[in-house]
């Protein structure tokens, strides 16, 4: 039996382990067109999993950013939005 404590840590836990596995699979796809289509499908699944995200104006941009973060910025696709800056993802505002 495999426990969650022995597994890899989830980058964004609200999407779950299955989305993280899909993103990891997508990173390893060789064909750029297939990789882009898979990335678009993952964004649709993420939007369906969290419908409250759709209330914001830039929800698609946020979902694409989340997908890049889940992939640890290894996902190389020509998506509609550029990947976020890795330095700004985990920074906290100054007091």
């Amino acid at each position: 039996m495999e426990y969650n404590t022995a597994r890899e840590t989830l980058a964004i836990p609200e999407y779950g382990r299955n989305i993280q596995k899909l993103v990891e699979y997508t990173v390893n796809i060789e064909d750029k067109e297939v990789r882009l289509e898979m990335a678009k499908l993952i964004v649709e699944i993420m939007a369906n999993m969290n419908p409250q995200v759709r209330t914001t104006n830039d929800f698609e941009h946020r979902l694409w950013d989340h997908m890049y973060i889940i992939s640890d910025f290894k996902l190389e696709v020509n998506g509609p939005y550029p990947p976020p800056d890795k330095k700004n993802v985990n920074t906290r505002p100054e007091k």
Side-chain angles (χ1 to χ4, degrees), residues 80-93:
Y81 306 101
D85 189 15
K86 190 174 185 177
K87 293 181 281 185
N88 295 336
V89 171
N90 293 325
T91 59
R92 295 183 181 191

Side-chain angles (χ1 to χ4, degrees), residues 1-61:
M1 177 183 274
E2 185 178 15
Y3 295 102
N4 284 339
T5 55
R7 293 180 180 176
E8 184 178 339
T9 305
L10 294 175
I12 303 178
E14 65 190 50
Y15 296 112
R17 197 160 304 278
N18 288 331
I19 293 293
Q20 184 158 331
K21 286 182 179 181
L22 280 172
V23 172
E24 290 172 2
Y25 172 76
T26 305
V27 168
N28 295 323
I29 295 175
E30 296 292 328
D31 187 13
K32 287 185 177 186
E33 296 296 322
V34 174
R35 192 179 327 133
L36 178 61
E37 291 302 316
M38 187 69 171
K40 288 178 182 178
L41 181 65
I42 292 171
V43 168
E44 288 180 28
I45 294 170
M46 290 165 65
N48 288 335
M49 287 179 68
N50 295 318
Q52 69 273 11
V53 174
R54 292 180 190 241
T55 59
T56 60
N57 293 338
D58 61 341
F59 78 93
E60 284 188 19
H61 191 266

Side-chain angles (χ1 to χ4, degrees), residues 56-74:
T56 60
N57 293 338
D58 61 341
F59 78 93
E60 284 188 19
H61 191 266
R62 179 178 290 177
L63 292 175
W64 278 91
D65 287 351
H66 287 178
M67 187 169 54
Y68 285 120
I69 293 168
I70 290 171
S71 73
D72 197 27
F73 301 94
K74 296 176 186 172

